[in-house]
Amino acid sequence: MVSNRGSRLKNSVPMPKQQIENRVQNFSEVAKGYSIEQAITEAERCLQCPKPLCVKGCPVEVDIPAFIKCIVEGEFKTAIKIVKDKNSLPAICGRVCPQEQQCQKFCVLGKKFEPIAIGRLERFVADFEPETGSKINEKPPSTGKKVAIIGSGPAGLTAAADLAKRGHEVVLFEALHKPGGVLMYGIPEFRMPKNVVRAEIDYIKKLGVTIEMDVVIGSMYTIDELFKQGFDAVFIGTGAGLPRFLGIPGENLCGIYSANEFLIRVNLMRAYEFPKYDTPVKVGKKVAVIGGGNVAMDAARSALRLGADEVYIVYRRSRNEAPARQEELENTEEEGIIFKFLTNPVRFIGNDAGWVKEMECLKMNLGKPDESGRRRPVPIKNSEFIMKVSTVIVAIGQSPNPLIPQTTKALKITKYGTIEVNEETGETSIKGVYAGGDIVSGAATVISAMGAGKKAARAIHKYLMNKERNKKLENAYARS
Amino acid sequence: MNKIVKKEILAQGIKLLEVEAPQISKKTQPGQFLVLRIDEKGERMPLTIFDADFTKGTVKIIFQEVGKTTVQLGQLKVGDHILNLMGPLGNPSNIKNYGHVIIIGGGVGIALAYPITKALKRAGNKITSILGARTEALLILEDKMRDLSDKLYVTTDDGSKGHHGFVTDILKELIEKEKIDLVHAVGPTVMMRAVARVTKPNRIKTIVSLNPIMLDGTGMCGGCRVTIGGKTKFCCVDGPEFDAHLVDFNQLMTRLSMYLDEEKVALQVLKKKGVNGV
């Protein structure tokens, strides 16, 4: 009995995936998700710790053991209710959270065996729901307060949902033509199906949130004007939108994309269906993607699906330092993408027509850890070599979008261009204005942006209710 | 959804649409642009805002039918809708009294030269305009520009109207005999490059408005990057106007040609559907 239990506990149920040879030719989701049986088997591994450590690892504090227990009992609807109580976007988080650095990192099982696959179970209950139709609990009474949310990415969507649940009127402004932010334009269909994003956004609309597209705050309306229009508070979740480049010679040659541009073309504009859709994308035979994060993996795997013969990931540190999720690194390797670790480009060389044809690189060694705690890459002298390339995608991170800071003079900005906030509340230097997500932290993860949106929603609610209370007190004093 | 309330044909293949866009019309300043998408499968395309009327809540755009999207746009009628319209984007022109300003507008670029000229005139500048077109039938806004200009010259490549030759021929003559405080040129990249080459040795401050390929228009994609004085700038958030003497025009022209093959394919697909434009 004991040994049997031991073997059951040892490994988590593997994620069913599309066959490699098929999936590199389509944009359908790679990870298919657990079946009911697989989910229950995995859920049964949970030890139901009386003092669960996993919850502490979750930026939005989902009651993980409770929802897993519901899965064991086949109570999937209750399970999703428990998750949604804290997390308005579970189908998204189940897919893209770096669970191994969060909840699963603290799982007691993980000390001896594989930790419980919390992310996969979260996704299971979230995906199970649309089939039964998501229900909204009764709408709370209106507070009469109005909140503007700028940016409909993970931070904005979360803040919007939490504020609507508390009875505030919420209007969400999005600059692009589709809501969802990075979930829509950045993360590819094969990792984040767009119908999943749409379903989560529909849920948020059902909560009473209004979404306005094609609105660029800063140029169409300033923050001041939002207050004048009757908004009582503003949340800025505009993200880290500006792509970084390497700053090396030849970077503006044709055939060199930022990962943002490449992914916007592919995901938001559906370039993989050109000419049915108008927007094209150029993918040559030999593609090099610079960077080691999730965005680099997404770009590389998209290039492969768009018909590249060879795709390289060129990263200046080693696999251990790569910031991509473990699962994405594995998927990328499985699909035959070639990793060139400890390699850094120093210049691009073009042909006569102005297209990139070669990339000169340097080999690197790992030195002492830098401020990020990862070992710093140090160039090896005289290690230059040339790589032939026809397309290059630069995926080395993003900087904060300056549109709002530029038009909102009273907003305090850090030297990195991010918005300065009170870490506990997300409050900025302007009263009633809050911010969260990548515009505050610099480029980070979906879940940390959601955590920030949640925190800010709590603070905005408190601010609005205090304001209301003070107003009542003032009126009472005036009358007495 | 933005309703088209007026349509005008200005010249062969050059059309004007007046579109409902109340908030954009309130905020537009000279030199700014918008990004539009006609329908669900459409591309995002930047277009100059030719005029904005905030009392009517409309903006006017002018475009030449050269590719799939512009041809499709030209097919739309009064009462039709444009699915997405976003703006105003880009930094407004720096309007002040410079003294004597030469405005150079080439082809459909005259549409952007017009609001800038209007503002510069209002700021007290003496305006000399040089309008260039391939041929007389393609010349637009001549009367409107004449109203704003102290002096106006027309050049055509084929000599069908005005000076037979290029805008730079007139510019060179003017430089010889007049004091010029600013040259503002908008038009085909090759024309703007030619203007910069003329004014640079004469040290005349010259501003150009660039038109690279753009996707989002808010700084996100970096597709519109241009090299200005050796540094990479994003045309959408750092521009669209730059010091002409610092622009790497050759690179811009190469980057503008990136999708020529695809543009042909897209146009053919449209033509197969029976849409032929002009």
Side-chain angles (χ1 to χ4, degrees):
Chain A
M1 183 68 195
V2 173
S3 65
N4 189 11
R5 183 175 158 81
S7 72
R8 175 171 69 82
L9 284 175
K10 210 169 171 185
N11 293 316
S12 63
V13 178
M15 178 59 112
K17 289 187 211 174
Q18 260 201 84
Q19 292 277 322
I20 296 168
E21 51 272 28
N22 292 337
R23 78 188 196 216
V24 296
Q25 292 177 42
N26 67 49
F27 271 83
S28 306
E29 191 169 22
V30 166
K32 290 171 156 174
Y34 280 163
S35 65
I36 291 178
E37 195 191 338
Q38 285 168 325
I40 292 176
T41 309
E42 180 63 21
E44 280 170 346
R45 293 178 64 229
C46 178
L47 299 175
Q48 291 291 322
C49 306
K51 283 184 186 164
L53 298 174
C54 51
V55 179
K56 285 186 187 149
C58 174
V60 295
E61 298 156 10
V62 168
D63 190 346
I64 294 163
F67 96 79
I68 292 181
K69 189 158 182 265
C70 291
I71 297 178
V72 175
E73 288 159 2
E75 295 290 338
F76 304 141
K77 280 186 195 169
T78 319
I80 188 63
K81 233 172 125 183
I82 293 169
V83 177
K84 278 206 166 167
D85 182 45
K86 291 287 166 66
N87 181 347
S88 300
L89 310 168
I92 291 167
C93 287
R95 286 172 166 84
V96 299
C97 268
Q99 287 96 4
E100 69 268 17
Q101 291 160 30
Q102 296 172 346
C103 49
Q104 288 173 202
K105 184 175 165 183
F106 298 97
C107 176
V108 172
L109 260 186
K111 285 185 182 145
K112 257 182 120 174
F113 311 116
E114 279 185 4
I116 183 140
I118 300 166
R120 293 172 188 172
L121 291 176
E122 180 182 29
R123 173 184 161 169
F124 168 77
V125 292
D127 285 358
F128 190 80
E129 195 191 26
E131 288 167 27
T132 55
S134 69
K135 285 212 184 71
I136 305 296
N137 301 337
E138 255 176 59
K139 272 191 192 156
S142 165
T143 60
K145 298 287 173 193
K146 216 171 150 185
V147 186
I149 310 269
I150 309 170
S152 66
L157 286 174
T158 305
D162 282 17
L163 286 162
K165 281 181 189 165
R166 289 175 166 108
H168 304 294
E169 186 185 341
V170 181
V171 181
L172 189 51
F173 295 104
E174 168 58 45
L176 292 174
H177 59 260
K178 290 241 157 73
V182 71
L183 305 167
M184 216 62 192
Y185 75 75
I187 308 176
E189 180 77 22
F190 56 80
R191 192 154 78 85
M192 171 61 65
K194 299 307 157 220
N195 59 6
V196 171
V197 182
R198 273 191 289 271
E200 301 272 46
I201 290 170
D202 282 345
Y203 166 73
I204 282 169
K205 282 188 192 159
K206 276 191 202 162
L207 290 171
V209 174
T210 310
I211 304 182
E212 285 195 30
M213 258 83 78
D214 299 316
V215 180
V216 191
I217 301 295
S219 76
M220 240 166 144
Y221 304 95
T222 60
I223 302 252
D224 277 350
E225 284 167 336
L226 290 177
F227 282 111
K228 276 182 206 146
Q229 276 183 33
F231 285 101
D232 300 289
V234 173
F235 174 77
I236 307 171
T238 46
L242 266 66
R244 286 209 187 104
F245 285 91
L246 294 147
I248 59 176
E251 203 157 23
N252 295 344
L253 286 164
C254 292
I256 303 181
Y257 287 108
S258 74
N260 261 9
E261 180 180 3
F262 186 78
L263 291 171
I264 289 174
R265 283 181 182 273
V266 176
N267 301 323
L268 186 70
M269 308 310 296
R270 302 178 73 136
Y272 58 93
E273 292 191 65
F274 177 85
K276 192 175 146 199
Y277 283 75
D278 286 350
T279 308
V281 68
K282 289 273 192 188
V283 178
K285 291 209 174 324
K286 217 167 162 179
V287 179
V289 180
I290 320 294
N294 289 320
V295 176
M297 304 306 137
D298 286 346
R301 296 169 70 194
S302 298
L304 191 70
R305 284 160 173 76
L306 286 160
D309 288 345
E310 272 174 33
V311 183
Y312 293 84
I313 292 268
V314 178
Y315 180 49
R316 61 190 184 133
R317 305 185 202 237
S318 75
R319 195 183 194 281
N320 288 333
E321 291 80 29
R325 283 175 93 215
Q326 197 56 37
E327 199 174 319
E328 301 321 322
L329 280 169
E330 282 163 16
N331 284 334
T332 309
E333 279 165 343
E334 270 177 22
E335 289 174 11
I337 282 154
I338 306 154
F339 283 75
K340 288 215 171 256
F341 290 115
L342 294 165
T343 305
N344 202 26
V346 289
R347 75 181 168 117
F348 299 104
I349 301 151
N351 64 16
D352 293 341
W355 285 79
V356 64
K357 63 165 186 179
E358 286 169 345
M359 177 166 91
E360 185 177 316
C361 298
L362 267 180
K363 290 265 182 207
M364 313 295 268
N365 257 333
L366 287 181
K368 294 223 167 80
D370 61 14
E371 64 271 24
S372 74
R374 295 173 301 171
R375 291 179 65 192
R376 184 193 299 275
V378 185
I380 302 172
K381 267 192 187 157
N382 302 322
S383 66
E384 290 88 350
F385 70 100
I386 298 274
M387 257 180 93
K388 290 225 178 301
V389 288
S390 37
T391 305
V392 175
I393 302 165
V394 182
I396 57 164
Q398 281 101 244
S399 338
N401 194 310
L403 273 176
I404 289 179
Q406 272 171 8
T407 50
T408 319
K409 292 293 170 232
L411 202 60
K412 266 199 190 150
I413 304 300
T414 68
K415 63 176 175 178
Y416 304 105
T418 51
I419 298 177
E420 224 176 87
V421 299
N422 173 335
E423 288 221 2
E424 290 308 307
T425 60
E427 198 175 357
T428 69
S429 54
I430 304 175
K431 205 176 162 202
V433 178
Y434 297 74
D438 284 4
I439 188 69
V440 169
S441 60
T445 58
V446 167
I447 187 72
S448 64
M450 289 178 53
K454 216 168 180 56
K455 236 189 239 172
R458 209 178 290 150
I460 291 170
H461 176 69
K462 209 170 146 194
Y463 165 76
L464 293 175
M465 291 299 96
N466 274 341
K467 212 170 125 188
E468 186 63 23
R469 188 163 176 272
N470 290 341
K471 209 164 88 189
K472 276 185 191 152
L473 283 177
E474 266 173 38
N475 287 343
Y477 279 123
R479 277 195 299 269
S480 66
Chain B
M1 295 290 272
N2 304 266
K3 195 170 152 192
I4 297 169
V5 295
K6 197 175 165 193
K7 182 179 178 179
E8 268 179 61
I9 296 170
L10 302 181
Q12 195 185 19
I14 303 181
K15 293 176 180 172
L16 177 151
L17 291 180
E18 184 173 354
V19 190
E20 281 177 359
Q23 194 56 30
I24 302 178
S25 76
K26 255 187 232 170
K27 290 284 181 157
T28 298
Q29 294 178 62
Q32 289 188 299
F33 62 94
L34 52 76
V35 167
L36 66 76
R37 195 173 71 122
I38 300 176
D39 57 31
E40 207 42 63
K41 290 179 178 141
E43 64 177 338
R44 294 172 66 90
M45 181 176 67
L47 266 184
T48 292
I49 303 171
F50 163 66
D51 204 359
D53 184 340
F54 69 89
T55 55
K56 280 165 80 184
T58 59
V59 292
K60 289 178 185 165
I61 48 175
I62 292 178
F63 55 94
Q64 185 164 21
E65 296 179 345
V66 285
K68 196 245 171 185
T69 301
T70 44
V71 169
Q72 200 186 343
L73 198 58
Q75 298 295 309
L76 298 180
K77 297 182 286 292
V78 170
D80 287 347
H81 289 81
I82 293 171
L83 183 58
N84 304 100
L85 211 59
M86 170 183 126
L89 300 167
N91 298 297
S93 307
N94 189 6
I95 303 296
K96 60 178 186 185
N97 193 345
Y98 296 90
H100 183 200
V101 180
I102 309 266
I103 302 282
I104 303 177
V108 75
I110 301 171
L112 175 55
Y114 173 75
I116 297 168
T117 312
K118 202 158 108 180
L120 285 169
K121 178 75 186 169
R122 201 175 294 155
N125 290 284
K126 179 186 165 193
I127 306 282
T128 303
S129 300
I130 313 171
L131 307 183
R134 247 185 9 245
T135 182
E136 186 182 5
L138 292 174
L139 181 68
I140 58 166
L141 304 170
E142 187 192 346
D143 292 342
K144 276 189 147 60
M145 286 298 290
R146 195 178 296 281
D147 289 345
L148 296 174
S149 310
D150 295 278
K151 196 145 193 359
L152 180 133
Y153 299 87
V154 170
T155 73
T156 49
D157 297 2
D158 64 356
S160 51
K161 176 147 196 180
H163 169 75
H164 184 177
F166 300 116
V167 290
T168 40
D169 302 338
I170 305 284
L171 178 63
K172 280 178 201 158
E173 284 173 25
L174 290 172
I175 289 173
E176 297 224 335
K177 55 186 189 198
E178 291 181 39
K179 183 182 168 286
I180 299 163
D181 301 296
L182 177 76
V183 172
H184 199 121
V186 200
T189 310
V190 58
M191 182 206 87
M192 295 191 284
R193 183 182 66 179
V195 169
R197 281 178 180 168
V198 171
T199 57
K200 195 174 181 183
N202 291 289
R203 297 189 182 182
I204 300 169
K205 186 177 174 183
T206 305
I207 301 291
V208 284
S209 187
L210 305 183
N211 56 341
I213 292 171
M214 219 175 255
L215 219 48
D216 61 287
T218 63
M220 275 174 58
C221 81
C224 67
R225 60 195 195 274
V226 285
T227 304
I228 308 293
K231 290 203 177 88
T232 293
K233 298 276 176 191
F234 289 4
C235 190
C236 62
V237 288
D238 300 321
E241 292 179 2
F242 294 101
D243 180 341
H245 300 154
L246 300 177
V247 176
D248 184 340
F249 285 104
N250 293 344
Q251 184 188 72
L252 175 60
M253 276 153 58
T254 313
R255 288 186 64 84
L256 276 166
S257 69
M258 256 180 99
Y259 298 99
L260 282 185
D261 295 342
E262 287 77 9
E263 282 165 23
K264 275 183 205 144
V265 171
L267 198 56
Q268 270 164 11
V269 170
L270 189 70
K271 282 185 175 165
K272 268 190 196 152
K273 289 181 190 160
V275 179
N276 282 304
V278 272

